[in-house]
Amino acid sequence: MSTTTIKKSSKNNRRKRFSDDQVKSLETTFETESRPELRLKQNLANKLGLQPRQIAIWFQNKRARSKSKQIEREYSMLKSNYDKLASQFEAMRKENQNLLIQVQRLRKMADKRDGDKNDDKNNITLATSENPRFLLDINNSHELCMPSCSDLNGKVDYLEQETDVLNMARIVEGSLASPENGCSFESCTFLDNTGSGPQWWDF
DNA sequence: TTGTGTTTTATTGCCTCC
DNA sequence: GGAGGCAATAAAACACAA
């Protein structure tokens, strides 16, 4: 066979896109049967005026396209879940930072109180607006669930509660990353996917 | 019109199953 | 060992901005 003949025959056999009707029919079949049997492929081929081989290839390519679209969908779902978690984590990290700051304030106040204790041993006072020993940042007081002044009825001794809070604070400080550590969502180990490398969600 | 990116059809080579 | 599936890739067809 000469090159001319080859060219001519290849030109005559130029690849053509399937018609809209052909594609539509194939799509419809794919919805119910993504991996049709030989008989069905032959029927489709007869019906659509295509070679059974073309039908087989179309289904093969269609499965590949379908699979990659499915992967894209899963990826975007995972990414959106990740983003949501990341922002939740960031909010919690900030809240934790605020709490630690409050704990430090409390500790300072407690240290100061211990210094005054000898002078003031039998004269325990309640927290009031005039004596803001336990008045945390009013705007953030809800974050530590500390009662505000208005909750006081004048009979509560906060010294024991303060000790509890300080003990808790020491435990918390020991177990959580401090603000100075600059622990972020990405850098903290509990979400570190070291097994799959950095930026594992990027393909 | 043309260069470039995307989609679609087809081929190749490897793998699994019967 | 043959049939059929899949992944990777080639190449034609198409879309579209410049």
Side-chain angles (χ1 to χ4, degrees):
Chain A
M1 194 187 273
S2 70
T3 49
T4 323
T5 318
I6 291 166
K7 274 185 181 174
K8 195 177 177 183
S9 93
S10 72
K11 201 171 184 178
N12 287 338
N13 294 329
R14 281 181 89 85
R15 182 186 303 173
K16 280 179 188 162
R17 290 208 167 187
F18 298 163
S19 70
D20 289 349
D21 288 343
Q22 286 171 325
V23 171
K24 201 171 180 181
S25 180
L26 290 165
E27 298 269 10
T28 308
T29 309
F30 184 83
E31 279 172 22
T32 56
E33 195 61 67
S34 67
R35 213 169 287 165
E37 288 177 8
L38 186 60
R39 184 181 289 273
L40 180 52
K41 284 181 203 164
Q42 278 168 343
N43 287 343
L44 274 169
N46 292 336
K47 181 182 155 195
L48 302 174
L50 295 167
Q51 295 298 312
R53 172 81 181 142
Q54 288 178 295
I55 302 293
I57 288 168
W58 187 90
F59 274 90
Q60 212 160 295
N61 288 323
K62 180 68 182 174
R63 284 194 295 272
R65 286 193 292 270
S66 177
K67 186 180 175 183
S68 75
K69 278 186 179 160
Q70 177 64 23
I71 288 171
E72 271 178 37
R73 279 195 295 273
E74 284 170 7
Y75 167 78
S76 72
M77 209 170 73
L78 282 170
K79 184 159 189 331
S80 112
N81 286 344
Y82 170 84
D83 290 343
K84 212 181 285 175
L85 276 173
S87 78
Q88 282 174 4
F89 175 86
E90 190 56 26
M92 290 176 79
R93 193 183 65 77
K94 282 178 182 164
E95 190 181 345
N96 181 49
Q97 231 171 344
N98 287 336
L99 288 172
L100 289 171
I101 288 166
Q102 290 186 17
V103 162
Q104 281 172 354
R105 280 189 203 152
L106 278 171
R107 181 175 287 162
K108 277 181 191 166
M109 286 190 279
D111 290 345
K112 195 180 170 210
R113 183 208 61 198
D114 288 344
D116 296 344
K117 223 172 188 177
N118 289 336
D119 304 332
D120 197 22
K121 215 169 188 176
N122 297 316
N123 191 20
I124 297 166
T125 56
L126 295 172
T128 66
S129 54
E130 288 80 36
N131 183 5
R133 195 188 317 200
F134 305 110
L135 280 178
L136 307 174
D137 181 353
I138 297 295
N139 295 325
N140 293 322
S141 62
H142 65 281
E143 289 180 354
L144 200 55
C145 300
M146 288 289 285
S148 66
C149 270
S150 59
D151 295 322
L152 299 174
N153 58 13
K155 294 178 182 171
V156 182
D157 185 348
Y158 264 96
L159 285 177
E160 286 180 12
Q161 292 190 25
E162 181 194 16
T163 310
D164 290 343
V165 168
L166 287 171
N167 286 337
M168 263 172 53
R170 290 194 179 95
I171 292 164
V172 167
E173 272 190 319
S175 62
L176 288 179
S178 66
E180 297 78 37
N181 289 341
C183 175
S184 71
F185 188 65
E186 284 77 8
S187 65
C188 279
T189 51
F190 82 96
L191 276 171
D192 183 24
N193 291 273
T194 48
S196 48
Q199 304 297 318
W200 57 272
W201 62 92
D202 282 332
F203 294 137

